[in-house]
């Protein structure tokens, strides 16, 4: 599975006085999509961390095209770019209920050995789930 999507409604607390989603909230939306992508693959991010692997974001880029507004139902689609090695890269598309593209984004994360505090290779169990 190279892509997945989640949908949710924008909460009032995520917006400014104009009812527009605060730009910093988009990073959380991307994380929500990544975590659910892993979950659909049968992988718990919490369990990965318990096993000593974490995935810090090392690069984040967001292109804001149209504002997301209070009470909008938005969909965040996450797409795996290529086979992960030490890094894993995702593209994202955020759309509203009308199908309008609100934002595109890209993140790069690195597999990190928590004990050594050093980058490490993508775990085999993830590669197997991705059929690599």
């Amino acid at each position: 599975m190279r892509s997945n999507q989640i949908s949710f409604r924008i909460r009032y607390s995520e917006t400014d006085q104009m009812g527009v989603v605060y730009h910093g909230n988009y990073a959380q939306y991307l994380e929500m999509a990544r975590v659910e992508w892993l979950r659909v693959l049968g992988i718990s991010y919490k369990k990965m961390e318990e096993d000593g692997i974490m995935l810090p974001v090392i690069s984040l880029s967001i292109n804001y095209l149209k504002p997301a507004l209070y009470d909008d139902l938005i969909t965040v689609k996450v797409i795996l770019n290529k086979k992960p090695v030490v890094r894993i890269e995702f593209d994202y598309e955020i759309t509203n209920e009308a199908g309008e593209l609100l934002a595109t984004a890209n993140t790069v994360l690195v597999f990190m050995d928590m004990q050594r505090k050093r980058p490490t290779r993508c775990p085999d169990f993830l590669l197997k789930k991705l059929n690599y």
Side-chain angles (χ1 to χ4, degrees):
M1 184 190 73
R2 301 283 160 43
S3 69
N4 191 47
Q5 62 187 38
I6 62 168
S7 296
F8 54 91
R9 201 160 292 282
I10 300 296
R11 298 171 295 190
Y12 183 77
S13 63
E14 297 168 332
T15 64
D16 60 20
Q17 286 185 325
M18 296 181 293
V20 174
V21 171
Y22 173 67
H23 72 276
N25 287 321
Y26 284 80
Q28 292 179 16
Y29 301 161
L30 305 180
E31 179 183 20
M32 290 166 52
R34 283 193 310 273
V35 169
E36 287 305 311
W37 174 81
L38 281 170
R39 190 180 315 278
V40 169
L41 282 173
I43 299 170
S44 161
Y45 187 78
K46 180 180 180 185
K47 175 80 167 89
M48 256 180 35
E49 284 191 338
E50 289 170 353
D51 292 342
I53 301 291
M54 63 183 192
L55 275 170
V57 174
I58 60 171
S59 175
L60 166 64
S61 172
I62 303 173
N63 299 305
Y64 303 98
L65 306 171
K66 288 186 170 193
L69 305 172
Y70 169 62
D71 205 39
D72 278 356
L73 180 65
I74 66 168
T75 298
V76 181
K77 182 176 182 180
V78 58
I79 306 148
L80 179 66
N81 277 341
K82 57 189 169 198
K83 178 182 176 182
V85 182
V86 174
R87 296 176 180 204
I88 187 166
E89 183 174 350
F90 297 99
D91 284 328
Y92 306 83
E93 297 171 353
I94 300 175
T95 55
N96 62 16
E97 203 167 3
E100 297 172 305
L101 187 60
L102 305 179
T104 59
N106 175 275
T107 58
V108 180
L109 297 87
V110 65
F111 293 96
M112 185 73 69
D113 181 311
M114 293 171 69
Q115 284 186 336
R116 296 181 345 185
K117 297 187 177 17
R118 304 285 302 165
T120 190
R121 295 186 67 74
C122 177
D124 287 338
F125 64 84
L126 179 54
L127 292 173
K128 286 179 186 171
K129 295 276 186 178
L130 296 171
N131 296 318
Y132 281 118

